[in-house]
Amino acid sequence: MVQASRLFFKKKEIRTGETPVPRSRVAALWPPNLKGFRMKKSYGYFDDERREYVVTDPMTPEPWINYLEGNGKMNAFISNGAGGTAWYDQPHTGRLTRYRLNGLPMDAPGFYLYIKDGIEIWNPSFFPVMKKLESWECRHGMGYTCFNASRNGIKSSLKFFIPLKDEVLLWDLKLENTSSEMKELQIYPYIDYSLHGYIKDTLYFLVCGNQARYSYDESSGGLMSDYFAFEAPFMGKTIFSASERFEKFDMDRSRFIGRGRTEANPVGLEGGLQNTEVKDGGFFACGTFELTVKLKPREARRIILKLSVSEDICEARRLSEKYSSVKEVDRAVKEVDERWEGLLSKCQVTTPDRNTDAMLNSWLPKNIRSTMRNGRSISHRHPGDGSSLRFRDTMQDIMPGTMFYPEETRELILILMRSITASGRVVTGIDPATFTYPDPKHTRSDAIVWGVFTLYKYLAETGDAGILEIVLPYYDKEEGSVLDHLSRGMRFVGENTGAHGLPKMFDCDWNDMLQVFSNAKTGGETVMLAEQFIYASKLLVEILRHAGKTDEIPFFEKKSGDFSGILSSDVCWDGGWFKRLLYPDAELGSSKNKEGKIFLNTQSWAAMAGTLPATKVRKAMDNVSQMLDTECGIRLFTPPFTTMMDGVTRFHTNTPGAGENGGLFLHANTWAIIAEAMLGNPQRAWKYFSQILPNNLSARNPEHYGREPYALASWVYGPDHDAFGHAALTWLTGGAAWTYIAGTEYILGIRPTLDGLLVSPCIPPDWDKFEVQRRVRGATYRITVLNPDKVGCGNVQLTVDGSPLKGSLVPYASTGKTVEVRAVISHTKQFANR
Ligand code: GLC
């Protein structure tokens, strides 16, 4: 990888902070000219029209995955090599098919289709056989993944998707004979069954032979899996079948694959299928069957393959039967497409930057959906071994969900609220089935602020103030309204302060890694949380005022004032930036520290708080640019830790420059975008925004970057690491939600508030204009923003339905109305905290 990245090395010195980074480390940095930028050398391209990413080379550096889900309980992810797994409801309890996370070959198994043409065997997904194909592409779309491939006069198109309402994974196959000869093919779909509990499947897979049964089901004409283990959380049955009957099949994986072989060369495809079942001594189960397809020249044929699931075998059979009909399949795919279009039409943008449009219009919303649904649980790198409903993470993940999925978001808010104790302390996570958490003492001190942000967004987006009055139990005892839950949570932060008068850190604040310090040292106070408290209080006060609960307001205003005073003083101000953590006898994030001198978050949130001295805030953000920024994102802090604060004990979490140890943690980058937009600094806001978009990051050097160009990376290795510029985890990150918010609400500046739709852009000064079509509270706003003075940011002059309007708030219109909004950015400079 390092070698490949050298190919792109440009002899330009790149400064990434105080000290220039050695050339060998910046090999991955190939600063692209983002203006009018289109990828040239890459593994694929965006088909914006169809909202697809088209992978044109199967040999991507790593599996590039897509999530498939309807709106029911069936889920799957699938890579561009057809590796992947399907699960029912939760991946740790309802795992239906197996994906070996740390096995070789990687990205296997999955959902394979073997096509046997004479003695030749190939896959439309290229993998696992890897037979050279004459044409190949994999189209990852919003609700499906489709492989188009051809070889030796056979054209195949294989589309995977899950209908909106039914629990079935469909493989819609079209085969066409493009040759002038008659063709007789055999086709074999293949899956590897998993015991439903992920841990059981990983550790006790041997019970497959006595706790599960895999057999031919005469009634449906499909392959049935049945599970007997008494303690199994999910007792569902599956039917794997085709739209036509088959006679030959195999379910004993050992006998189908053969000793010493893999899915790349199963012995069963050479010697013929033997109708094995896993009730006749087999210990590993797979599902495969043979269909013969005869095609005259130019003839095409459609075959539907189906993996249906239900706790009730009759229902699984019914689904299998239903989707034997091509008509039903066509209807289902249309419904999936229409649902996505309907959701995405809630916010569509047209800007001069194509990569921004692709991310904001399609791929970030898709990413947000997957994160909302899967938390930090399952991907080709996450095992999916437990539930991941956590107050802090989930609250952030669902923020934009308030626009796309208001009902689901509401439900999740009401579950999460029950993690708040009667004292206002927030328990880290919650199991929705039992409303308990295994480690209820664990306290991430920042949790509640994310609850305030999400509630505010929900109220602004929907106007559903009734949610505040719903009465729910606290985690431990008593009950109270949703608004009380929020207030108590915020009070807890305001009242639990340490020696310097700042909020106590408890186990950690937003930055989990800081737990290493709280484990070693007591008395930590968090500067970041004090800043977040000020911002959250502002929103909470607005909520309280709207709800007529003004008694509570003085506490939050007073506390915000106290915190602002401490933050502005030398207790927290280090001379060039805001410190990060305070202890009675030590501090972090100060120029006196050898490592961890300057942290990103306390600078961004100082700007977002909006009450701290403007000159200090600007200086701090200038230092972010000078000392933390790179061309691939902003470091979380610098220098990374090698020792603990005593300067002796080794620091154990991430290696220097990786992840939370001074890596480019993109989630935290989004607040720097917002901070610069709030400060009215369009060039920097734009630089910070565009440089973390996956299509831009990947385009610098797709091979070295490694991961999907269409899904946000949680973090990218920083310049203190040899893998600088390489992406780590993708898809499951709160960064997706925040990047979307930063882009739509702070760069484009279209933001619902409690009182109306705010228009407050901060765009690249060279843009002439942009357009946004946004649906809020049932009305549609068609907004055109013009930038004639080339300032990018400033006051706007609004014209609403042809009439001039003072200020920058468009009043909400009634349901069904379409409102034409024209905003002209004027050259009057505006400052701070829009
Ligand atoms: C991960 C965690 C999130 C945390 C962040 C920074 O993304 O899921 O909860 O805030 O890391 O530590």
Side-chain angles (χ1 to χ4, degrees):
M1 253 177 223
V2 172
Q3 284 208 335
S5 65
R6 287 204 179 108
L7 292 174
F8 294 88
F9 175 58
K10 289 262 148 92
K11 276 202 171 168
K12 187 175 165 207
E13 187 184 78
I14 294 153
R15 287 191 67 90
T16 58
E18 286 175 315
T19 39
V21 175
R23 286 241 178 91
S24 61
R25 298 249 192 93
V26 293
L29 289 181
W30 174 37
N33 173 9
L34 293 174
K35 214 174 144 198
F37 177 73
R38 291 290 290 142
M39 274 195 241
K40 286 192 189 90
K41 171 75 194 92
S42 71
Y43 293 92
Y45 62 93
F46 286 86
D47 182 339
D48 295 335
E49 228 10 59
R50 300 162 71 149
R51 305 187 192 279
E52 291 175 338
Y53 186 82
V54 189
V55 191
T56 51
D57 179 347
M59 284 297 194
T60 47
E62 294 179 35
W64 286 2
I65 68 167
N66 192 21
Y67 286 87
L68 307 177
E69 74 237 328
N71 207 29
K73 293 195 164 173
M74 182 75 154
N75 294 275
F77 76 74
I78 184 166
S79 76
N80 62 314
T85 170
W87 64 96
Y88 179 85
D89 197 14
Q90 298 291 324
H92 55 296
T93 51
R95 195 75 63 99
L96 304 176
T97 66
R98 189 174 281 143
Y99 187 70
R100 294 184 299 266
L101 262 189
N102 52 3
L104 281 176
M106 266 193 70
D107 191 33
F111 310 102
Y112 297 143
L113 182 82
Y114 298 93
I115 297 179
K116 194 169 177 187
D117 181 2
I119 53 162
E120 291 211 321
I121 298 171
W122 59 279
N123 309 108
S125 52
F126 180 68
F127 292 101
V129 170
M130 294 199 282
K131 180 81 87 213
K132 202 162 184 278
L133 301 173
E134 282 148 26
S135 69
W136 182 89
E137 64 177 21
C138 165
R139 289 183 170 259
H140 284 317
M142 294 292 107
Y144 58 86
T145 285
C146 184
F147 295 91
N148 297 319
S150 63
R151 186 181 159 88
N152 195 27
I154 293 295
K155 215 164 108 182
S156 88
S157 158
L158 177 59
K159 185 175 200 167
F160 292 88
F161 76 100
I162 296 172
L164 280 191
K165 292 182 203 95
D166 288 331
E167 318 298 357
V168 53
L169 173 66
L170 297 176
W171 315 18
D172 183 359
L173 173 68
K174 287 173 199 132
L175 286 170
E176 189 186 340
N177 180 359
T178 55
S179 78
S180 50
E181 288 156 21
M182 182 75 194
K183 285 270 185 188
E184 179 169 330
L185 311 169
Q186 274 77 44
I187 62 163
Y188 308 83
Y190 175 87
I191 54 169
D192 187 335
Y193 290 105
S194 168
L195 297 170
H196 301 168
Y198 174 73
I199 300 293
K200 186 154 199 170
D201 189 60
T202 310
L203 301 178
Y204 306 107
F205 46 84
L206 69 170
V207 301
C208 172
N210 52 330
Q211 293 195 350
R213 187 156 63 194
Y214 301 88
S215 55
Y216 180 72
D217 178 48
E218 191 57 55
S219 157
S220 61
L223 305 180
M224 178 169 83
S225 73
D226 194 1
Y227 202 48
F228 285 72
F230 61 90
E231 78 283 25
F234 173 61
M235 299 293 281
K237 295 144 184 53
T238 64
I239 298 284
F240 189 37
S241 61
S243 48
E244 32 203 272
R245 289 254 165 175
F246 54 84
E247 279 169 12
K248 291 187 185 167
F249 63 89
D250 260 325
M251 301 194 83
D252 182 332
R253 195 185 75 181
S254 309
R255 286 194 261 168
F256 173 69
I257 298 287
R259 184 95 166 91
R261 296 180 177 232
T262 69
E263 294 92 354
N265 55 356
V267 72
L269 297 188
E270 292 166 19
L273 304 188
Q274 297 172 46
N275 293 8
T276 58
E277 299 180 319
V278 179
K279 59 179 192 187
D280 60 357
F283 266 83
F284 294 97
C286 70
T288 187
F289 48 82
E290 179 184 284
L291 289 172
T292 296
V293 184
K294 289 184 189 157
L295 294 170
K296 294 193 207 103
R298 303 283 141 207
E299 192 185 346
R301 178 121 151 244
R302 185 130 168 238
I303 297 168
I304 313 298
L305 305 159
K306 306 150 284 175
L307 177 67
S308 61
V309 59
S310 172
E311 305 216 22
D312 171 7
I313 185 63
C314 298
E315 172 64 4
R317 286 179 184 137
R318 187 189 70 79
L319 290 173
S320 168
E321 174 65 31
K322 176 175 176 183
Y323 288 102
S324 286
S325 147
V326 164
K327 245 191 177 164
E328 286 295 339
V329 175
D330 288 341
R331 185 197 47 74
V333 83
K334 193 161 164 263
E335 269 179 19
V336 169
D337 289 348
E338 283 173 358
R339 176 172 161 84
W340 272 106
E341 277 312 309
L343 288 171
L344 297 172
S345 69
K346 294 191 175 174
C347 182
Q348 289 292 290
V349 312
T350 313
T351 76
D353 186 73
R354 243 191 113 168
N355 283 1
T356 295
D357 292 3
M359 290 316 296
L360 294 183
N361 289 338
S362 309
W363 287 100
L364 278 169
K366 165 83 188 167
N367 201 153
I368 289 160
R369 178 63 179 157
S370 310
T371 313
M372 248 183 100
R373 222 167 146 111
N374 301 304
R376 305 293 172 276
S377 174
I378 185 163
S379 75
H380 93 290
R381 288 233 172 120
H382 295 78
D385 58 340
S387 146
S388 66
L389 206 58
R390 286 192 251 290
F391 194 92
R392 172 214 286 167
D393 287 347
T394 313
M395 277 296 185
Q396 292 175 82
D397 297 345
I398 64 179
M399 273 189 306
T402 57
M403 159 171 54
F404 295 115
Y405 314 96
E407 294 87 24
E408 215 173 301
T409 309
R410 185 179 201 270
E411 227 171 274
L412 280 167
I413 290 174
L414 296 179
I415 295 172
L416 291 167
M417 280 292 153
R418 296 184 59 172
S419 347
I420 302 174
T421 63
S423 71
R425 191 178 62 83
V426 184
V427 175
T428 295
I430 197 154
D431 173 353
T434 58
F435 295 106
T436 57
Y437 187 65
D439 184 10
K441 292 222 152 45
H442 191 263
T443 305
R444 291 164 151 179
S445 52
D446 62 315
I448 192 65
V449 299
W450 311 106
V452 177
F453 301 158
T454 301
L455 240 298
Y456 182 91
K457 289 236 168 289
Y458 176 78
L459 294 169
E461 192 71 44
T462 63
D464 169 23
I467 193 173
L468 297 172
E469 301 304 324
I470 295 177
V471 174
L472 298 169
Y474 287 100
Y475 183 86
D476 46 353
K477 55 178 183 198
E478 303 166 19
E479 56 177 32
S481 69
V482 166
L483 187 52
D484 280 343
H485 277 67
L486 276 189
S487 297
R488 283 199 199 187
M490 283 289 283
R491 266 182 183 274
F492 183 88
V493 174
E495 282 163 357
N496 280 278
T497 50
H500 299 88
L502 294 183
K504 285 186 185 163
M505 177 149 94
F506 294 95
D507 289 297
C508 59
D509 62 14
W510 172 83
N511 202 165
D512 287 337
M513 184 207 72
L514 297 180
Q515 183 150 346
V516 177
F517 296 106
S518 20
N519 288 347
K521 214 168 164 54
T522 52
E525 289 164 76
T526 150
V527 175
M528 178 179 178
L529 180 54
E531 296 168 343
Q532 292 183 303
F533 179 91
I534 299 172
Y535 183 75
S537 288
K538 206 159 50 186
L539 302 183
L540 183 58
V541 164
E542 225 183 301
I543 295 174
L544 288 165
R545 202 161 274 144
H546 271 256
K549 303 261 158 70
T550 46
D551 299 359
E552 296 262 15
I553 293 176
F555 173 83
F556 296 110
E557 289 183 337
K558 162 87 174 56
K559 256 301 154 198
S560 294
D562 295 348
F563 285 161
S564 298
I566 304 168
L567 290 165
S568 313
S569 76
D570 287 348
V571 171
C572 295
W573 176 249
D574 192 58
W577 55 84
F578 295 91
K579 298 170 193 173
R580 180 69 178 84
L581 281 189
L582 302 180
Y583 287 89
D585 58 347
E587 56 195 22
L588 267 189
S590 131
S591 50
K592 290 189 209 88
N593 295 114
K594 276 209 177 101
E595 296 173 340
K597 272 180 193 300
I598 171 169
F599 281 71
L600 170 61
N601 282 332
T602 36
Q603 321 321 320
S604 314
W605 283 94
M608 288 170 74
T611 54
L612 305 185
T615 43
K616 285 185 174 160
V617 171
R618 274 200 186 281
K619 193 164 178 186
M621 288 308 290
D622 286 349
N623 276 318
V624 164
S625 161
Q626 290 293 309
M627 298 169 70
L628 294 175
D629 187 29
T630 76
E631 296 287 331
C632 301
I634 311 171
R635 282 181 269 196
L636 199 53
F637 58 83
T638 202
F641 291 105
T642 57
T643 63
M644 294 292 284
M645 270 185 294
D646 60 10
V648 182
T649 321
R650 186 169 156 185
F651 179 85
H652 291 273
T653 58
N654 302 161
T655 47
E660 298 183 33
N661 192 5
L664 313 177
F665 209 86
L666 302 192
H667 187 164
N669 278 230
T670 63
W671 304 316
I673 304 165
I674 294 173
E676 289 293 6
M678 279 180 151
L679 296 176
N681 195 349
Q683 284 91 346
R684 268 208 208 132
W686 175 248
K687 177 182 189 294
Y688 293 167
F689 174 71
S690 59
Q691 73 190 7
I692 65 164
L693 295 184
N695 37 13
N696 290 334
L697 268 176
S698 160
R700 292 185 169 96
N701 181 342
E703 185 165 5
H704 178 70
Y705 180 71
R707 304 292 307 137
E708 301 94 341
Y710 47 88
L712 198 86
S714 168
W715 56 273
V716 172
Y717 289 88
D720 299 287
H721 200 285
D722 288 337
F724 185 22
H726 178 58
L729 309 170
T730 44
W731 284 103
L732 307 181
T733 163
W738 276 106
T739 305
Y740 186 75
I741 285 170
T744 52
E745 299 191 0
Y746 290 87
I747 299 282
L748 304 184
I750 310 299
R751 190 181 340 143
T753 71
L754 299 190
D755 299 308
L757 186 61
L758 183 72
V759 181
S760 182
C762 187
I763 54 171
D766 62 346
W767 283 10
D768 290 330
K769 69 166 191 173
F770 69 89
E771 288 164 354
V772 175
Q773 179 147 319
R774 179 73 158 86
R775 267 211 318 276
V776 192
R777 303 188 187 194
T780 303
Y781 300 82
R782 295 197 339 199
I783 307 162
T784 305
V785 178
L786 301 165
N787 183 31
D789 297 341
K790 299 282 188 269
V791 282
C793 189
N795 293 324
V796 290
Q797 282 151 15
L798 281 185
T799 312
V800 176
D801 282 337
S803 311
L805 192 87
K806 274 213 163 128
S808 44
L809 261 194
V810 180
Y812 288 128
S814 45
T815 307
K817 277 254 160 80
T818 298
V819 184
E820 300 288 339
V821 180
R822 197 180 126 95
V824 180
I825 307 175
S826 80
H827 61 274
T828 358
K829 270 274 179 200
Q830 190 190 26
F831 175 66
N833 314 315
R834 302 165 313 119

